[in-house]
Amino acid sequence: MPMTLYRHAINRALNEELANDENVVIIGEEVAEYDGAYKVTEGLWKKWGDKRVVDAPISEAGFIGMGIGASMLGVRPVMELMFFSFAYVAFDQLINNAACVRYMSGGLINCPIVVRGPANGGTSVGATHSHAPENLFANMPGLKVVVPATARDAYGLMKSAIRDNDPVYFMENTLLYGDPAAASDLDDGEFTLPIGSAEVKRSGTDVSLIAHGRSVLVALEAAKQLEEEKGINAEVVDLRSIRPLDEETILQSVAKTHRAVLIDETKPFCGISSQIATTIQQEVFDDLDAPVLRVTSIDAPAIYSPPLEKEQVPNARRVVEKVMQLG
Amino acid sequence: MTNQPEDQSNYAQAEVNLQLDADQKINLMRDMIRIRRFEEAALKYYNAGKMGGFLHLYIGQESIAIGAVSLCGENDHIITAYRDHGHALAVGMNMNECMAELFGKSTGCSKGKGGSMHFFAPDKNYWGGHGIVAGQTPLGLGLAYGIKYKGLNGAALCFLGDGAVNQGTFHESLNLATLWDLPVIYIIENNGYSMGTSQERSSAFKGSLAQRGEAYGIAWESARGHDLYEVRAKTQKAFNRARNESRPTILELATYRHQGHSVADANAKKYRTPEEIGHHKENFDPLSLWKNQLLKEGVLSEEKHRQIDGEAKAEAKAAVEFAEQSPYPEISEITEDVYFEVDQGSTAGKTGRHFFHD
């Protein structure tokens, strides 16, 4: 079975949506002639030309804001941030304009923009290039935040994101782009996946490992170790979308396993896992046999030192240890 | 003092102004008077505690919005900053919906969700009304991008204040405007003060702020914003450049706000002398200047002026009554107009939790 890599799945979704809708335009740094800093947009400029795939100068606030303005007129820009860490340069545009314009206009204005790019640590590029800011953006009503862990999810969710009439911030991962563990069989033709739907990636009975993005792969690896070494059968829930959030799938899993460990690469203070923990204690408190525990990034700016950074972000060993603390 | 360009050319003879007939000239006057009377009524009821937040008044600058917007066609789009009431009325929004928005009522143009700084009317090509200084400048560029992308013959008019020219997004927008040949017209309404800080204390420049465009290869011009003929003549040149060549322009219009930065501007009478304010009101009030011009041309009578002024006052008064009688939004409406799909009641809008309050 030919497996499609994560980067190629996104590329396929972009290519298909460029074909489906003439208002779709890809804009970003190095997305066209360079073929994408991480080769996500490879071949698209050659196929679609200057109008549909546009190299932007290093000017995030300017070109992201421009894309937001164009989207109000019905253009559907898919804007690449070479790293989501660069979103901070364009923060005013991403929050005050994209997230608020529908609301402030009393619902008169659509802002159908996708902002996509890698949002992860673990690659030894230091604090400025290693942010996982999904919690910051998911905090803002008006925005949708999607963090796919597999090629299949990235493909289906990207197509939905481009077709959505609200801004969708689509957070990818440099470590997943070429990772065979994130690759999927995509042979079943064109499809979309709904934003706001989680998926149980591994069924289990003893503990729910709830994660998003690359942490899902970490959870799956931990689940394997837990089964092989401890005889613990873990369920892995992949959020896929942070906002909207599929609470039903989370709660069903916890109600079944009675234990939850949340794996979350954001920083712990008001991280994604903080919100999930609130929901669990509020909705299924009586089903819990243990406190909800978390494995987040260790609470400091991203460290450079390669072996240390692998400890700072969630890894399978830390997840296994946390599960064993549940008693 | 703001720079008042010396050019005293007779802009009445510009082609775009020669085309105006008497009725059109009187309508331009009516449009300016309506803004003035609307805002005077708003000020009265703001001071009476009927409105929240800020109220940034456009009084003194009316000739700019009216002059520039009077040149817009169906493919032209308009965006501005937070001093947006004048532009809103200029594009054809009515006083009722604008006043009700100030009162925070559900009949407001944004259903009471935007407030004074955030008026929108996309059906009239009016894209706000933006609260963050210069935050609208890349959006205006995006409107121009959209116009060009869709193959339309039009321009984006992006208004900004002199306080906005030092923000990074404005400079980024200028670079992109030239780089991608976008039909955007940046109109700097230079009223001399970014809040309480004079232009001299906030901006490093030679000659004029618009001249900064030279660094980006952008055509620029300065003009007297209080002169309606001049505003129209110079804006028309920019429109021609945008529509015919798809090239940007920076137009800096010298103007003056009679009121403070906002009504809440506690130092409004400290950073400007009473003499300075009086000088401008007496000599550069665009309403007086235009009225006198039309009297001189013989297209207007005092009686006609009184009649139009009376109608504008009555319209503003009726707008206040409309606003006062309108209901506030319901608490349940707070979470409407956040997500398109949720408002549609679609499957997508019901997939996953969108709101997280208890």
Side-chain angles (χ1 to χ4, degrees), chain B residues 139-348:
Chain B
L139 297 183
L141 187 75
L143 294 172
Y145 189 91
I147 290 165
K148 185 173 183 182
Y149 189 87
K150 288 167 176 281
L152 302 171
N153 184 241
L157 270 184
C158 181
F159 296 87
L160 60 150
D162 49 295
V165 302
N166 300 318
Q167 289 275 39
T169 45
F170 179 53
H171 289 264
E172 294 190 35
S173 299
L174 297 181
N175 178 56
L176 293 169
T178 297
L179 195 64
W180 291 337
D181 293 332
L182 296 177
V184 63
I185 301 168
Y186 286 109
I187 295 187
I188 303 169
E189 301 193 50
N190 186 349
N191 63 26
Y193 296 86
S194 46
M195 200 168 154
T197 303
S198 69
Q199 186 183 316
E200 289 74 15
R201 294 201 299 125
S202 61
S203 296
F205 65 102
K206 292 178 185 174
S208 79
L209 300 175
Q211 194 174 358
R212 290 180 177 183
E214 282 179 13
Y216 300 98
I218 297 182
W220 64 276
E221 204 159 11
S222 299
R224 300 170 301 163
H226 53 264
D227 183 326
L228 196 53
Y229 279 141
E230 184 168 347
V231 170
R232 279 172 50 86
K234 297 236 164 122
T235 307
Q236 184 61 42
K237 280 172 67 181
F239 265 121
N240 292 344
R241 185 176 293 116
R243 291 170 183 153
N244 301 337
E245 304 167 39
S246 192
R247 296 281 297 164
T249 301
I250 304 174
L251 190 54
E252 179 181 357
L253 301 176
T255 188
Y256 199 82
R257 57 170 153 78
H258 292 181
Q259 304 286 327
H261 166 70
S262 75
V263 181
D265 180 355
N267 292 328
K269 289 172 183 163
K270 291 183 185 167
Y271 58 81
R272 307 185 303 185
T273 63
E275 291 74 22
E276 178 184 311
I277 298 169
H279 170 72
H280 280 273
K281 283 186 176 176
E282 196 171 322
N283 299 302
F284 297 105
D285 181 352
L287 270 66
S288 304
L289 292 172
W290 188 244
K291 178 191 170 191
N292 292 335
Q293 176 70 28
L294 298 194
L295 287 171
K296 198 171 76 182
E297 291 182 24
V299 299
L300 178 72
S301 64
E302 286 285 0
E303 187 189 348
K304 180 75 176 172
H305 180 266
R306 267 196 305 277
Q307 178 205 330
I308 289 171
D309 196 40
E311 286 166 359
K313 280 180 184 162
E315 188 184 358
K317 187 162 177 280
V320 168
E321 285 166 16
F322 172 82
E324 289 209 289
Q325 286 163 14
S326 292
Y328 286 107
E330 300 290 333
I331 288 174
S332 63
E333 291 172 50
I334 293 174
T335 50
E336 292 175 4
D337 305 310
V338 180
Y339 291 103
F340 176 85
E341 297 289 355
V342 172
D343 291 340
Q344 298 295 308
S346 66
T347 303

Side-chain angles (χ1 to χ4, degrees), chain A residues 156-185:
Chain A
L157 289 167
M158 177 59 78
K159 289 171 75 76
S160 292
I162 293 171
R163 297 177 191 190
D164 203 287
N165 276 338
D166 287 311
V168 181
Y169 295 175
F170 195 98
M171 305 198 183
E172 302 163 12
N173 193 304
T174 53
L175 293 171
L176 296 181
Y177 283 142
D179 185 348
S184 308
D185 170 19

Side-chain angles (χ1 to χ4, degrees), chain A residues 59 62 103-104 143 166 245, chain B residues 110 149 172 334 339-340 353:
Chain A
S59 185
Y103 197 70
M104 294 194 303
L143 298 180
D166 287 311
L245 180 67
Chain B
S110 295
Y149 189 87
E172 294 190 35
I334 293 174
Y339 291 103
F340 176 85
R353 184 171 176 182

Side-chain angles (χ1 to χ4, degrees), chain B residues 17-62:
Chain B
N17 292 326
L18 287 172
Q19 292 166 354
L20 290 171
D21 63 25
D23 283 347
Q24 288 169 321
K25 290 176 183 179
I26 287 171
N27 285 340
L28 291 171
M29 185 187 75
R30 178 183 289 110
D31 291 342
M32 289 197 291
I33 291 174
R34 287 179 67 247
I35 295 172
R36 179 79 50 103
R37 299 306 173 223
F38 172 86
E39 289 206 315
E40 286 170 348
L43 174 60
K44 179 178 168 186
Y45 286 87
Y46 180 91
N47 285 335
K50 297 283 188 179
M51 302 169 195
F54 300 127
L55 188 72
H56 304 90
L57 296 175
Y58 198 58
I59 292 174
Q61 305 184 201
E62 296 93 335

Side-chain angles (χ1 to χ4, degrees), chain A residues 251-307:
Chain A
L251 297 174
Q252 277 173 3
S253 177
V254 178
K256 180 174 78 172
T257 64
H258 308 293
R259 290 176 175 81
V261 171
L262 316 180
I263 302 119
D264 176 10
E265 196 181 309
T266 63
K267 297 297 190 285
F269 194 97
C270 295
I272 301 301
S273 48
S274 313
Q275 178 63 36
I276 309 286
T278 288
T279 301
I280 292 172
Q281 65 82 22
Q282 186 173 310
E283 301 297 329
V284 291
F285 185 78
D286 290 340
D287 287 313
L288 286 172
D289 287 345
V292 176
L293 298 181
R294 304 192 290 162
V295 178
T296 66
S297 285
I298 292 174
D299 205 7
I303 193 168
Y304 159 68
S305 179

Side-chain angles (χ1 to χ4, degrees), chain A residues 3-16 35 38-44 116 150-152 154-156 158 172 176-179 182-184 186:
Chain A
M3 298 292 274
T4 302
L5 290 175
Y6 189 99
R7 69 155 55 83
H8 294 147
I10 297 170
N11 182 281
R12 181 174 142 188
L14 296 173
N15 182 47
E16 288 174 5
D35 270 338
Y38 286 97
K39 298 290 179 266
V40 172
T41 55
E42 189 168 21
L44 296 178
R116 53 156 290 271
T150 67
R152 180 183 168 79
Y155 166 82
M158 177 59 78
E172 302 163 12
L176 296 181
Y177 283 142
D179 185 348
S184 308
L186 276 184

